[in-house]
Every structure is written in C-alpha cells, then in structure tokens.
Amino acid sequence: LGESPFFWNSFQVTLLWVAGNVSLQLVVGLAVALALNSIIRFRGPFTGILLIPWISSFVVVGILFIWIYDPQMGVLNDILLRLGVIEKPVAWLASPRLAQISLIAANTWKFFPLVMITLLAGLQDVSPELLEATRVDGANWLGTFRMVIFPTILPSISTGVLLSTIWAYNSFTLPIVMTGGGPLRATEIFGLHIFKLAFDAFDFGAAAAASLVLFLQILAVIVLYLKFAERE
C-alpha cells in the first residue's frame, strides 16, 4: 500500500482538504456566530435559515455547486464577468488546483453551520459584566474579543475544530458527485480512494489497510483534542 503513488497522492490531498476545510469553516462559522449573537430580534429564524446547508442532502449540494461552477451557464462566472474580475469564463472543476479550492468552498458551505451553532452556544457563556467592564476601561472591539470573548469560547472552538476535522476526514459524497476524484486525482481524498480500491479495483485488502490508516489519523486528532481538553 505504501508503495502506491495513488495512496500518497490521496494522503497529501486529504491533508490539504482537512486543513482548508477546518480553517475556512472556523473563520466563516465564527464570523456568522458573532453576527448572530449581536442581534436579538429574529435570531431564531436567521439561525434556522443558516442551518439549511447543513441539513441539505450531499447530492443536492453537489449538484447545486456543479451548476454554480459551470463554465458556460454557472452563476459564479456570470457574476465575476459582470464585475470585471475575470475576462473569460473559468472552468473551476477542470484545473487541479482550482478544483481543490472549489470543493473546499462547497464543503465549507455545507458544514460551516455546524461550527457556527457550536460557537454560538459558547458565546452565550460570555459574561455581560466583563464585556461592560472592558468597554468602560476603553477597550475596542478587538481588545474585548481578545481579552473576554476568545478565552470564554475557546472550549467551543476546540469542539468545533474537532467536529470539522472528523467530518472532513470522513468526506466522500461531494468529491465523488462533483469531480469523481479528478482532474488528475487532485480531489481524490482518502475516503474516495478507499471506495475506488474496494469497488473499482476490487482490492479489498488494500481498501481495508487504507481504512485503518484513515482510522489512525482520526484517532490521532481525537487524542490531541482530549489532551487539550484535559489541560484546559
């Protein structure tokens, strides 16, 4: 298994996939959670609307983004052309690097609500008295976030990162629906590689070995999280 170039390709693609998804989902989820926490009226309906991507079917999300990324009929190219950002339509899923970025963006849209709702729950524990005290002391929003909000929601952030990482490692449907692992295996993450080994090549031994490697990666993430949680 370790001698296969396809194995190491999927290993590297998966690391990039996980890093991109976790970082982007954390940034988007935190920004949306802070925005939701700042409003009082209609917070419930807004939260429900923002949860729609999370509860949507993987296949529906995949087909939606295939249409968005379509070189000729896609809404993304249409918007960018109208704004003058690009001069001609871009084949987002035809280039290895662009396909990786495009899939990470699609998967982030699907899963950022999970991080958002986790961080929003943590924001409810922020002490209003401490926030008021920092404002009285003259701290700006960034200082308030650094001294009060971030330390309070740090456990929620670590939980969100853990959930996002596990879901990213276990991803399978979006890559197979949108690109099938292409182009040039640039989006063949570990789950898809295991699927191809088992059901395309019928090499169930190699698929089982690759599954064990995937399990060990997820186990390492969980162990790191538990050590961090114990220290906290």
Side-chain angles (χ1 to χ4, degrees):
L1 185 64
E3 297 177 356
S4 170
F6 298 145
F7 170 84
W8 291 112
N9 171 75
S10 65
F11 188 88
Q12 294 172 1
V13 169
T14 302
L15 291 180
L16 176 63
W17 168 264
V18 172
N21 271 284
V22 172
S23 56
L24 196 55
Q25 288 173 30
L26 181 60
V27 170
V28 176
L30 179 59
V32 178
L34 289 170
L36 282 175
N37 193 59
S38 66
I39 63 175
I40 299 176
R41 296 184 61 187
F42 306 115
R43 181 187 295 174
F46 281 130
T47 304
I49 292 171
L50 289 168
L51 287 174
I52 290 176
W54 186 26
I55 63 177
S56 299
S57 165
F58 278 100
V59 176
V60 171
V61 173
I63 294 174
L64 171 65
F65 275 90
I66 288 176
W67 172 71
I68 291 174
Y69 293 139
D70 186 88
Q72 303 303 324
M73 305 296 294
V75 65
L76 179 59
N77 275 334
D78 183 61
I79 293 173
L80 294 179
L81 285 169
R82 290 176 185 272
L83 294 175
V85 178
I86 58 176
E87 297 180 353
K88 59 181 180 179
V90 177
W92 298 98
L93 299 179
S95 164
R97 184 60 62 191
L98 287 178
Q100 289 176 336
I101 296 172
S102 300
L103 252 69
I104 288 173
N107 199 64
T108 295
W109 185 83
K110 165 71 175 169
F111 279 110
F112 89 86
L114 176 62
V115 180
M116 175 201 74
I117 203 69
T118 303
L119 299 182
L120 184 60
L123 286 170
Q124 307 311 304
D125 295 331
V126 177
S127 170
E129 291 79 11
L130 284 176
L131 289 176
E132 185 63 28
T134 55
R135 293 192 186 100
V136 171
D137 289 340
N140 56 18
W141 183 89
L142 187 60
T144 302
F145 178 83
R146 180 176 57 85
M147 292 184 292
V148 178
I149 299 177
F150 181 76
T152 304
I153 67 172
L154 189 56
S156 297
I157 291 176
S158 62
T159 301
V161 168
L162 173 68
L163 295 175
S164 179
T165 302
I166 292 175
W167 276 105
Y169 267 116
N170 287 323
S171 295
F172 166 79
T173 312
L174 275 186
I176 198 172
V177 168
M178 294 181 64
T179 63
L184 302 176
R185 296 181 180 263
T187 59
E188 188 178 290
I189 59 175
F190 229 82
L192 183 53
H193 179 64
I194 293 170
F195 175 85
K196 288 184 174 181
L197 283 174
F199 300 106
D200 287 350
F202 297 103
D203 192 346
F204 293 102
S211 299
L212 179 60
V213 173
L214 178 61
F215 168 76
L216 291 175
Q217 292 179 66
I218 298 175
L219 180 62
V221 172
I222 295 175
V223 170
L224 289 174
Y225 168 78
L226 292 176
K227 286 185 176 295
F228 175 80
E230 182 181 2
R231 186 181 65 180
E232 289 298 313

